[in-house]
Amino acid sequence: MKILVCISHVPDTTSKINFSDNNTKFDTNGVQFVINPNDEFGLTRAMWFKEKQGATVTVVNVGGPETEPTLRKALAIGADAAIRVNTVATDGFSVAKQLANVVKDGGYDLVIAGRESIDYNGGMVPGMIAGLTSANFINNCIGLEIEGTSVKAIREIDGGKETLSTSLPLVIGGQKGLVEESDLRIPNMRGIMMARQKALNVLEPIDANAETTSTKFEKPAPKGAIKLVSPDNLDELINLLHNEAKVI
């Protein structure tokens, strides 16, 4: 089984976010980048298929040379090879077209992507890849078992879980639950050394025009002052909720 894991290069959640050029561009100065958490869950599940079923695992990213350390980390975790499509990730559709082209050329059986990246939270790329490659698609995937070409998957739905049966080729949008946080792997020294010897192939992009553009970014408004009300003063609480907060 050939598995392709899509890796987004995203800011660490502890990074302080700023914008430049009149709030039209994301300022990367001083920002630490990591593997997108949803993608890391998927990569860990792919490693299980490699170890238990002999699958080959390739990771792919759409981005410039600055994303290669993130791909190298994925190689150190255990992926067999990496691909970087040499173009800036501008919007979900153009990224999906680049990734779909990699899928078609590589003949992958299973494509694992995170359900969304934690930077722009578009949540559209996995479904678009499936549509562009005519593969089956399961989003919000929290369980995945494969035997031959038969697939049993579990996805999260409102109020519960849904168990599905399908077949390869398949694209999934994975998330926490596909593996647990305790299952995530930290590269060890041996893995880091071996990653230096693994292939990281750079592909030139195909023509894929962006369908959307970001015009402006805005941070959430800072939290306002709070008022503490004694639990014995119910009348004051009701007055504040009614006249100031205007929620009742």
Side-chain angles (χ1 to χ4, degrees):
M1 179 168 58
K2 294 182 67 176
I3 302 176
L4 184 69
V5 182
C6 303
I7 300 292
S8 292
H9 174 78
V10 300
D12 189 291
T13 54
T14 61
S15 298
K16 185 177 180 180
I17 301 303
N18 290 301
F19 304 106
S20 60
D21 294 351
N22 197 27
N23 291 332
T24 60
K25 293 182 180 179
F26 172 55
D27 185 359
T28 60
N29 290 324
V31 175
Q32 177 69 35
F33 284 84
V34 298
I35 298 174
N36 180 51
N38 286 321
D39 301 341
E40 194 168 3
F41 292 125
L43 175 59
T44 304
R45 190 61 180 166
M47 295 308 305
W48 188 93
F49 287 122
K50 175 182 176 179
E51 294 162 0
K52 303 295 184 180
Q53 300 183 9
T56 60
V57 179
T58 301
V59 292
V60 63
N61 167 263
V62 177
E66 70 280 357
T67 69
E68 290 191 5
T70 299
L71 286 173
R72 287 290 180 193
K73 180 181 178 182
L75 291 172
I77 288 172
D80 299 297
I83 298 170
R84 178 174 66 82
V85 182
N86 188 31
T87 186
V88 177
T90 52
D91 78 329
F93 180 70
S94 62
V95 169
K97 287 197 71 174
Q98 302 297 341
L99 294 174
N101 184 59
V102 173
V103 174
K104 292 174 183 177
D105 286 349
Y108 294 97
D109 304 297
L110 174 64
V111 179
I112 300 178
R115 68 171 188 180
E116 64 181 358
S117 60
I118 64 167
D119 48 6
Y120 293 100
N121 301 99
M124 63 184 76
V125 171
M128 287 181 174
I129 295 172
L132 292 167
T133 60
S134 299
N136 295 318
F137 175 54
I138 297 173
N139 205 17
N140 302 327
C141 189
I142 56 173
L144 186 66
E145 300 290 343
I146 300 175
E147 188 66 41
T149 60
S150 298
V151 179
K152 180 179 179 180
I154 302 173
R155 74 184 187 101
E156 188 175 68
I157 60 174
D158 287 343
K161 302 175 183 178
E162 179 182 28
T163 300
L164 302 167
S165 295
T166 185
S167 60
L168 301 177
L170 172 68
V171 179
I172 71 163
Q175 62 181 65
K176 182 180 177 181
L178 195 57
V179 300
E180 296 302 323
E181 288 186 16
S182 58
D183 298 320
L184 299 178
R185 304 181 181 193
I186 299 174
N188 55 32
M189 184 55 66
R190 183 172 181 269
I192 293 170
M193 297 301 293
M194 290 181 65
R196 297 178 181 178
Q197 310 302 319
K198 295 178 180 178
L200 198 165
N201 300 311
V202 179
L203 302 180
E204 291 307 310
I206 61 172
D207 290 334
N209 294 328
E211 298 294 329
T212 59
T213 57
S214 298
T215 57
K216 187 178 181 181
F217 297 99
E218 185 176 346
K219 292 183 180 181
K223 293 182 179 179
I226 63 171
K227 291 184 178 180
L228 299 178
V229 180
S230 169
D232 298 325
N233 197 344
L234 184 59
D235 290 339
E236 183 182 359
L237 176 60
I238 293 173
N239 177 60
L240 290 171
L241 291 174
H242 182 70
N243 295 312
E244 290 196 19
K246 298 186 185 303
V247 294
I248 61 173

